[in-house]
Amino acid sequence: MTDRLEQSKALASDVRLSILGWLAEPDAHFSYQVTGKPSEIGVCVTLLTEKLDMAQPTVSRHLELLRRAGFLTVNKIGRWSFFQRDEAAVIDFKAWINDNL
């Protein structure tokens, strides 16, 4: 079963909401990614770190909270991690909010 409390906590951050927003349209926000098309392989942590102008460990912590909540998936290519939104999980959470509030 999905942990709705963990999902709600994961969304309680402007930084994490920004990440989810950018990853909704990754090609528009990260078109300069050279490793591969962001909508196909995800967005590299390095690019998210640069866009947020934060330290990499801090960004990784935000990404991990979103991943544990089920909103992101990670694609490892070599030593790099690429993150994508899990659209099914986002849609499911929105439906749950609509049904319960």
Side-chain angles (χ1 to χ4, degrees):
M1 178 165 177
T2 303
D3 186 342
R4 299 300 186 189
L5 182 58
E6 187 168 350
Q7 286 184 316
S8 299
K9 287 178 182 179
L11 298 177
S13 161
D14 289 340
V15 170
R16 292 190 289 274
L17 290 174
S18 292
I19 291 168
L20 285 175
W22 297 329
L23 294 182
E25 297 180 289
D27 293 339
H29 296 281
F30 301 97
S31 61
Y32 51 91
Q33 179 171 282
V34 296
T35 309
K37 191 171 181 182
S39 60
E40 293 174 5
I41 68 166
V43 175
C44 182
V45 173
T46 303
L47 298 182
L48 289 162
T49 299
E50 290 170 1
K51 191 165 185 80
L52 289 164
D53 192 28
M54 299 174 95
Q56 188 272 328
T58 302
V59 174
S60 291
R61 176 74 178 138
H62 285 295
L63 292 168
E64 179 59 18
L65 288 170
L66 289 168
R67 188 200 61 77
R68 281 197 350 234
F71 295 127
L72 298 182
T73 59
V74 63
N75 180 19
K76 300 240 184 207
I77 301 175
R79 63 186 186 108
W80 305 104
S81 295
F82 297 83
F83 286 84
Q84 291 178 296
R85 268 176 51 138
D86 184 330
E87 292 302 327
V90 172
I91 290 167
D92 179 64
F93 184 79
K94 287 179 180 180
W96 177 79
I97 287 287
N98 285 335
D99 291 346
N100 289 281
L101 286 183

